[in-house]
Structure formats: structure tokens, C-alpha cells
Amino acid sequence: MTVDHTLGHTVTVPADEVREAFARLAPHLPPYLLKVEPNPSGWGLRFQLASFTGRETCPTMPPSYYDDPALRFIGKDDPREFRIREMADHVMSELLKQACDQWRDAAYVADLKQAVADAPDRWKTYEREAKALESAYAYLRTPEAAREWPAVISRLVDAQDRTRAAAAAFDERAAEIARVHEKHLYADLGQAAALATADFPEAADWHIAAADDYASTYFSSWNTGVPLTELVRRLIEQQDTHIAKVGRLAGTATTA
């Protein structure tokens, strides 16, 4: 069997030495290891592992491995014995690397499930209020709006307040999700893939800023990666500015 060596070269180990290496490893192999088979590529091994919940401790080398005299490092005076022990070390190292990678992904997903909580419902509430606000603002441009202007503006203000509150409610969950993303920055899963694996594929549409932004009180005008409440604040500011300008111009036209 041929394996990639950690020092950048390959080592071919006879089959009988591979069997001996696994015989020595048997007492130390973890219970989550289900199967070991040659990699289809012809290089190294492929491990089949039981699924992790993400709530276990991170897989580590068992202390018994280090205490086993048949697995301790020796020099090359005995080439066969050296190869067997090197093979055993390679197997355990590769096994733990794969286990740690899978465990990190599972821990990421488990933390996301907890952080998301009722975020889907909060996002739906925000979308509903945002659409109502859009409709209320669009109505201002209709001829009918002029006949009930104070009432129209009052309804717009109510819609703005509801949208602002819905955005703030969603940001409470988004901040938790963002902190989980930051915590698991080095997991193999990307953010969208992790949320989809956690059974929230709709989260691809959610507006989630960076974790640090949820504690910020100031955002530059060119910064678009801001919390939802800041986006809504900007939108309402634009609406209010437009309404105030229309009022000024309409008042001037009436006076003239």
C-alpha cells in the first residue's frame, strides 16, 4: 500500500506490515470508526465514520496510543519495525484529521440550529411589514392620496414603525447567527451550506451582517454590509426626506 508521507514523499508499505500496523492499532481505534478501505484513487485510505452530533468533545488521540510500547517512535535501525510504526502513526493522524473536520462541521450545524430558533418566523414578519411599507409609500404617488394626505402619512408612519420593529426583532436572531458563523470560521462548511445542512435553506435570503456590526452604533454611508435595522433606518430617512421635499415644493406652489 502506498501512502502520502507528511514530509512530502510517499512510502510503500507491504501488505503484511499494513495488517500488523492495524493489529497494533485495534485497541486504540475510536468507536466512531465504522470502516477503513483503500482509497479508490490508489493512494492512502478512506475512513467511514459515524455521524457526529457536534455536542461531543473534539476527537483527539487516545492516551492509550501514546502509552503503547508497540507504537512508540523508534529509529530506522529496524526498517520493518520503523515502517509499521510509521504506518500506524499515519493512519491515526489521517483518521483524526478527518474526524476533526467532520466534527467541526457537525458542531457548526448544531450551534446554528440553536441560534436560529424562531428566525424564520421573524424574517417572514419582516418581509410582510417591508412589503406593507413599500405599498404605503407607493400609494403616496396616486391621485387618491392627495385627498386624504394626513391619513396617508399617518398610515405610512405606522408602517415604518412596524417595519423598524420587525427588523430589530430579526436582528436579535441574526446577531446570534453571525456569532456562530464567526465562531466556526474555519469549518469546512461555508455559511450558506451550514445553514442549509441545519435545515434552513431559506436562510440564503436572510440579511445577516458580520458579528461585530451588531454592536456598532455608527455606519458610514458607503457600508452596505450593515444590520437590517440600519438598512431600514436609511430607507425611512429617504422616505421622510422625499416627503418633506414634496411638502415644501407643494407649499411653495400653493403660495405662488
Side-chain angles (χ1 to χ4, degrees), residues 91-168:
V91 169
M92 288 298 288
S93 296
E94 288 299 307
L95 170 59
L96 284 174
K97 179 182 182 303
Q98 182 177 329
C100 285
D101 287 346
Q102 291 187 206
W103 176 85
R104 276 194 294 267
D105 287 347
Y108 189 3
V109 170
D111 285 348
L112 277 177
K113 287 182 177 180
Q114 182 175 341
V116 167
D118 61 348
D121 291 335
R122 295 191 183 206
W123 180 255
K124 289 177 182 176
T125 299
Y126 165 74
E127 286 190 311
R128 183 177 65 249
E129 298 301 344
K131 288 179 181 177
L133 175 57
E134 182 181 1
S135 296
Y137 187 63
Y139 184 70
L140 299 180
R141 291 175 166 79
T142 66
E144 293 80 6
R147 294 193 291 269
E148 52 167 344
W149 191 253
V152 170
I153 296 301
S154 178
R155 290 198 294 271
L156 176 68
V157 171
D158 288 343
Q160 289 176 339
D161 290 343
R162 289 194 300 270
T163 304
R164 186 187 293 111

Side-chain angles (χ1 to χ4, degrees), residues 161-177:
D161 290 343
R162 289 194 300 270
T163 304
R164 186 187 293 111
F170 178 76
D171 273 352
E172 290 178 356
R173 292 289 174 266
E176 294 295 324
I177 295 169

Side-chain angles (χ1 to χ4, degrees), residues 152-216:
V152 170
I153 296 301
S154 178
R155 290 198 294 271
L156 176 68
V157 171
D158 288 343
Q160 289 176 339
D161 290 343
R162 289 194 300 270
T163 304
R164 186 187 293 111
F170 178 76
D171 273 352
E172 290 178 356
R173 292 289 174 266
E176 294 295 324
I177 295 169
R179 281 191 281 272
V180 172
H181 287 328
E182 184 177 61
K183 175 183 176 182
H184 296 280
L185 183 63
Y186 299 106
D188 288 341
L189 283 174
Q191 295 181 6
L195 282 164
T197 304
D199 297 326
F200 299 106
E202 71 274 24
D205 296 327
W206 297 352
H207 183 88
I208 301 175
D212 290 344
D213 288 334
Y214 290 97
S216 181

